[in-house]
Coordinates of all heavy atoms in Angstrom, one line a residue:
E178 N 83.2 137.4 82.1 CA 83.0 137.1 80.7 C 83.1 135.6 80.5 O 82.3 135.0 79.7 CB 84.0 137.8 79.8 CG 83.6 139.2 79.5 CD 84.7 140.1 78.9 OE1 85.7 139.5 78.5 OE2 84.5 141.3 78.9
L179 N 84.1 134.9 81.1 CA 84.2 133.5 81.0 C 83.0 132.8 81.6 O 82.5 131.8 81.0 CB 85.5 133.0 81.7 CG 85.7 131.5 81.6 CD1 86.1 131.1 80.2 CD2 86.6 131.0 82.7
F180 N 82.5 133.2 82.7 CA 81.3 132.7 83.3 C 80.1 132.8 82.3 O 79.4 131.8 82.1 CB 80.9 133.4 84.6 CG 81.8 133.0 85.8 CD1 81.8 133.8 86.9 CD2 82.7 131.9 85.7 CE1 82.6 133.5 88.0 CE2 83.5 131.6 86.8 CZ 83.5 132.4 87.9
A181 N 80.0 134.0 81.7 CA 78.9 134.2 80.8 C 79.0 133.2 79.6 O 78.0 132.7 79.2 CB 78.9 135.6 80.3
K182 N 80.2 133.0 79.1 CA 80.4 132.2 78.0 C 80.1 130.7 78.4 O 79.4 130.0 77.6 CB 81.9 132.3 77.6 CG 82.2 131.9 76.2 CD 83.7 132.0 76.1 CE 84.2 132.5 74.7 NZ 85.6 132.7 74.7
T183 N 80.5 130.3 79.6 CA 80.2 129.0 80.1 C 78.7 128.7 80.3 O 78.2 127.7 79.8 CB 80.9 128.7 81.4 OG1 82.3 129.1 81.3 CG2 81.0 127.2 81.7
F184 N 78.0 129.7 80.8 CA 76.5 129.6 81.0 C 75.9 129.3 79.6 O 75.1 128.5 79.4 CB 75.9 130.9 81.5 CG 76.3 131.2 82.9 CD1 76.4 132.6 83.3 CD2 76.6 130.3 83.9 CE1 76.8 132.9 84.6 CE2 77.0 130.6 85.2 CZ 77.1 132.0 85.5
G185 N 76.4 130.1 78.6 CA 75.9 130.1 77.2 C 76.1 128.7 76.6 O 75.2 128.1 76.0
C186 N 77.4 128.2 76.8 CA 77.7 126.9 76.2 C 76.9 125.7 76.9 O 76.5 124.8 76.2 CB 79.2 126.6 76.4 SG 80.2 127.7 75.3
V187 N 76.8 125.8 78.2 CA 76.0 124.8 78.9 C 74.6 124.8 78.4 O 74.0 123.7 78.1 CB 76.1 125.0 80.4 CG1 75.1 124.2 81.2 CG2 77.5 124.7 80.9
R188 N 74.0 125.9 78.2 CA 72.7 126.1 77.8 C 72.5 125.5 76.4 O 71.6 124.8 76.0 CB 72.3 127.6 77.8 CG 70.9 127.9 77.6 CD 70.6 129.3 77.9 NE 71.4 130.2 77.1 CZ 72.2 131.2 77.5 NH1 72.2 131.5 78.8 NH2 72.9 131.9 76.6
K189 N 73.5 125.9 75.5 CA 73.5 125.5 74.1 C 73.6 123.9 74.0 O 72.7 123.3 73.3 CB 74.7 126.1 73.4 CG 75.0 125.7 72.0 CD 74.2 126.5 71.1 CE 74.3 126.0 69.6 NZ 73.3 126.7 68.8
V190 N 74.5 123.3 74.7 CA 74.7 121.9 74.7 C 73.4 121.2 75.3 O 73.0 120.2 74.7 CB 76.0 121.5 75.5 CG1 75.9 120.1 76.0 CG2 77.2 121.7 74.6
Y191 N 72.9 121.7 76.3 CA 71.7 121.1 76.9 C 70.6 121.1 75.9 O 69.9 120.1 75.7 CB 71.3 122.0 78.1 CG 70.1 121.4 78.9 CD1 70.3 120.6 80.0 CD2 68.8 121.7 78.6 CE1 69.3 120.1 80.8 CE2 67.7 121.2 79.3 CZ 68.0 120.4 80.4 OH 66.9 119.9 81.2
N192 N 70.3 122.3 75.2 CA 69.3 122.3 74.3 C 69.5 121.5 73.1 O 68.6 120.9 72.5 CB 69.0 123.8 73.9 CG 68.4 124.6 75.0 OD1 67.8 124.0 75.9 ND2 68.5 125.9 74.9
L193 N 70.8 121.4 72.6 CA 71.1 120.5 71.5 C 70.8 119.1 71.8 O 70.2 118.4 71.0 CB 72.6 120.6 71.1 CG 73.0 121.9 70.3 CD1 74.6 122.0 70.3 CD2 72.5 121.9 68.9
M194 N 71.2 118.7 73.0 CA 71.0 117.3 73.4 C 69.5 117.0 73.6 O 69.0 115.9 73.2 CB 71.7 117.0 74.7 CG 73.2 116.9 74.6 SD 74.0 116.3 76.0 CE 73.7 117.6 77.2
L195 N 68.8 118.0 74.1 CA 67.3 117.8 74.3 C 66.7 117.6 72.9 O 65.9 116.7 72.7 CB 66.7 118.9 75.1 CG 65.2 119.0 75.3 CD1 64.8 117.7 76.0 CD2 64.8 120.2 76.2
H196 N 67.0 118.5 72.0 CA 66.5 118.5 70.6 C 66.8 117.1 70.0 O 65.9 116.5 69.5 CB 67.1 119.6 69.8 CG 66.8 119.5 68.3 ND1 67.6 118.9 67.5 CD2 65.7 119.9 67.6 CE1 67.0 118.9 66.3 NE2 65.9 119.5 66.3
D197 N 68.0 116.6 70.1 CA 68.4 115.4 69.4 C 67.7 114.2 70.1 O 67.4 113.2 69.4 CB 69.9 115.2 69.4 CG 70.5 116.2 68.4 OD1 69.8 116.8 67.7 OD2 71.8 116.3 68.4

Side-chain angles (χ1 to χ4, degrees):
E178 273 166 20
L179 178 75
F180 287 163
K182 205 181 214 174
T183 315
F184 298 146
C186 287
V187 164
R188 192 170 59 229
K189 176 87 186 167
V190 157
Y191 185 95
N192 287 341
L193 284 168
M194 287 190 296
L195 177 56
H196 171 267
D197 287 353

